[in-house]
Each structure stands twice: as structure tokens, then as C-alpha cells.
Amino acid sequence: MKHQSKLPNVGTTIFSVMSALANKHNAINLSQGFPNFKSDQKLIDLVSQAMNSGYNQYAPMPGSMELREAIANKMDLLYQSSYNPNSEITVTVGATQAIYTIISAFVRQNDEVIIFRPAYDCYEPAIEVNGGKTISIQLNAPHYKVDWEEVATHFSSKTKMIIINTPQNPSGSVFSEADMLALQKLTENSNCIVLSDEVYEHIIFDGLKHQSACKYPGLKSRSFITASFGKTFHNTGWKVGYCCAPKVLMDEFRKVHQFNVFSVNHPTQKALAIYLKEPNNYLELSGFFQAKRDLFLSLVKDSRFNFEPAKGTYFQVLDFSKITQENDVDFAKRLTIDNGIASIPLSVFNDNNKDDKVLRFCFAKTDDTIKQAAAIINTI
Ligand code: PMP
Ligand code: GLN
């Protein structure tokens, strides 16, 4: 049988590749982003309770109402932004499904979608499989700042969507208020949708404030905000997330969502609804992860790697240009096989695989693992 691939240039994601290599060589795995500690026992118990109480059949298509109400309350508390739980919030299979479904619901053949590189890897294939054209704007190490005048030169009536991600994976950079205002100005009077990937909204450091698109009225009216309970509550394997958007946009999203997954697993939604009602469960996260970032950086500060401290996310980028000139993919694989530490090479997220000689290390790990990893890094 012959068929032409819709995604001829797509292989297996770097996260699967590096995690498999780490497992094969028994390396410390700081590559794929997931915690190696348990999520709160209270939350796990709430899932068992929900299962034992009979929440084992389909959840409502847009998500459990109790969870959507808890999300609406959180958006109100944190950003003074109101979303109607009935019509403006949908629970999804992680942020990944939200992102895929948003793109499928709106992007048509030849529509242009602007993304900033290095970009998280699920955006571009979703654009392409729907016939859209990815317009990449390359940001540069070490600060990954956006030049909004450059963005304006790529923005036109063909721009169906702009995808932003703050705090940003993989660079650990964040958007400032000025960035959000520039985006608001650029898109005003246009039909451009903003997909604001905010999965790391609760992981932001040094007193910086998360700039949610919903805080800016001109952006909110055109934005989907995507979020991930996996990232927030240390259970990436549960794959539960959500998105928020004004009703006119959400109506279109749900037309696709109901045939894409219909609904998300019910007992975890019941548990998350109760757990989310306690703000400290997410408000403490920035401090928790900042301590881990600081531990990691204090331990590797005398290594041959250079760095700018991550401003958010649970990833730290380390520059290895003083160590070797080999390409970052080869270097990351060699470190996994020979030194027993796995990381993610950033070139795979860049335009034409631009290689800035930087690797991403995930510090969502126990302090013991961070210490063992740092000890290896100091020998490289
Ligand atoms: N966006 C970004 C920037 C991510 O890092 C991730 C990984 N958590 C996702 C989306 C997908 O999130 P989820 O695991 O909830 O699908
Ligand atoms: N978000 C995770 C990361 O950036 C990976 C998720 C995945 O494996 N697809 O490492």
C-alpha cells in the first residue's frame, strides 16, 4: 500500500528518544520533563475516593462542572478574570489535546500561524497536519527576547493564530508586561487568535509575575489559555488539563473536542476539583521549584557550563560552548551513554536546527537526584 505522509519530516519526539536512551543506559534522566517524586497523597486519595464513590462513567463532555467551577474561581482569584464555567472552560486530555484541538478547530489550508522558536514540539505538527503554514520567529540564547517589530513584519491578514508560551519551555524565559502589551497592540483590529500556552503559570521565579493573556482585555477576547494539571500537581501521567476562552471561540473548540475525545477521565476530575479549591496547593509551587533551581545552580556554578538562571518552568538551560564544539544532539547522546546523565538538546526546537550549544536539564527532581546529577555535570 502506498500513501503520502501528511507529516513527512516528523519522527519520534526528542522526549521519547532521550528518555529511552536514559533508560537503556541507566542514566539520570533530566531530559523529558516530569517529576521523580510523588504527587500529594491527599490528591491520590481523592482519586480513589472518587472511584469508590462511583465516578467511573463518562464525565460531561466539557468536563466535570465542579472542576470547571474550581478553575473559574482560580482564574478570578489569580487574574481577576471571569470565565463562565458553563460555556468558556473545557477540561482536556492534558494541554497537548487542548492545543491540538484549538489548532484543528481554526486553522485551515494555507493559514499562517506564528510560533516563537525554540518552540515546544507539539505546535508545528498540529499546524501542518491541518494544512496551515508555520511562520517561525527565532529567538536567541541566552535571553530569548522577542523583537515585536520583527514580529510585525510577519503579521498580516493571513495570520490566523499566534502561539505564545510563558513561562517558556524549553528556554525558561518569561514574557513581561511590555511583551503582552506589544502583542495586544499588534493583534488589535485583526481576526488573529492567540493561543497562550500557560502550562507553567505557577512556576515562575524571583518575584516575577505570570503574565496571563486573560489579564489584557484586548488579548483575552481573542485568546485560548491552555493549562496542565500534570505540570501543576506533579502527575504528568494523568494527562488532565484544560483551556479557557470566550464563548464564541469555545463553541467552535467544543465542536471538535466532542469528536476528538468526547470527555476526560472522570475520577481524576472529581479529585482535582476538590484539590484545586485550596489555593496553597498551587501558590506554593514557585517557591518549591525555585529552591530546586537554586540548589541545582549553586551546585553546578563552578562547572564548565555557563548559564542564565531560568525565570520560570522547571527547566534550566546550560551552555556547553566552552566544553566542545560538537553538535548538541550528539553531545546530549554522548553524555547519556558515557557520563550517565540525560538532557534535551535545544536545536530540535529551533528553525533549521540552529545549534546554540545549549542543553535543557529538568530540575523537577528530588534533591538527592539533583545532587547526583550536579556531581556528574561537574566532571564534564
Ligand atoms: N505545553 C508545554 C510548553 C509543555 O511543556 C507541555 C508539557 N507539559 C505541554 C504543553 C503539554 O502538557 P500536558 O502534559 O498536560 O499535555
Ligand atoms: N512537556 C515535557 C517536556 O517538555 C514532555 C512531554 C512529552 O514527553 N511529550 O519535557
Side-chain angles (χ1 to χ4, degrees), residues 34-79:
F34 61 87
N36 72 340
F37 42 84
K38 239 174 114 179
S39 69
D40 191 344
Q41 189 60 44
K42 269 191 273 178
L43 179 54
I44 293 172
D45 291 343
L46 286 168
V47 178
S48 312
Q49 278 166 34
M51 285 183 175
N52 286 320
S53 311
Y55 291 102
N56 300 304
Q57 309 308 330
Y58 292 126
M61 183 271 279
S64 135
M65 194 52 174
E66 199 183 345
L67 179 55
R68 284 183 279 148
E69 277 167 357
I71 293 166
N73 289 339
K74 189 197 83 163
M75 299 304 277
D76 206 13
L77 176 78
L78 286 185
Y79 310 119

Side-chain angles (χ1 to χ4, degrees), residues 147-263:
D147 172 353
W148 290 100
E149 284 176 17
E150 183 195 350
V151 183
T153 66
H154 295 279
F155 188 80
S156 73
S157 56
K158 288 193 234 147
T159 313
K160 183 75 204 180
M161 189 178 286
I162 297 187
I163 303 181
I164 62 168
N165 172 214
T166 182
Q168 212 262 0
N169 178 13
S171 69
S173 61
V174 300
F175 272 11
S176 63
E177 184 182 358
D179 288 314
M180 301 306 279
L181 290 172
L183 176 64
Q184 181 168 254
K185 179 114 193 57
L186 178 71
T187 52
E188 79 185 347
N189 303 321
S190 77
N191 288 317
C192 177
I193 292 167
V194 172
L195 194 173
S196 186
D197 182 354
E198 303 186 12
V199 300
Y200 300 102
E201 67 184 308
H202 303 301
I203 311 180
I204 183 159
F205 309 136
D206 305 320
L208 290 165
K209 285 261 168 300
H210 172 58
Q211 298 297 333
S212 177
C214 70
K215 295 204 314 190
Y216 299 84
L219 287 178
K220 181 177 177 181
S221 61
R222 62 179 72 254
S223 292
F224 276 93
I225 291 170
T226 59
S228 167
F229 289 116
K231 293 288 146 172
T232 303
F233 294 137
H234 318 310
N235 44 42
T236 59
W238 292 5
K239 292 298 297 186
V240 185
Y242 61 91
C243 61
C244 305
K247 181 176 184 306
V248 278
L249 297 179
M250 192 56 86
D251 283 349
E252 291 304 314
F253 177 93
R254 287 183 182 172
K255 287 183 191 171
V256 180
H257 173 81
Q258 64 184 337
F259 300 116
N260 185 189
V261 291
F262 184 68
S263 70

Side-chain angles (χ1 to χ4, degrees), residues 274-333:
I274 298 169
Y275 198 71
L276 198 61
K277 283 182 194 149
E278 176 45 70
N280 279 340
N281 288 333
Y282 50 84
L283 292 178
E284 286 167 0
L285 278 175
S286 288
F288 174 77
F289 280 118
Q290 184 170 322
K292 294 206 176 281
R293 178 203 65 174
D294 291 347
L295 172 67
F296 182 58
L297 291 183
S298 70
L299 293 170
V300 301
K301 70 176 188 322
D302 295 324
S303 73
R304 292 201 292 157
F305 290 88
N306 286 329
F307 56 81
E308 282 292 321
K311 294 189 163 74
T313 75
Y314 49 50
F315 303 114
Q316 177 63 49
V317 167
L318 298 182
D319 173 320
F320 63 86
S321 57
K322 280 204 309 214
I323 301 173
T324 172
Q325 284 310 301
E326 71 192 292
N327 85 53
D328 64 348
V329 175
D330 291 346
F331 187 50
K333 289 185 175 165

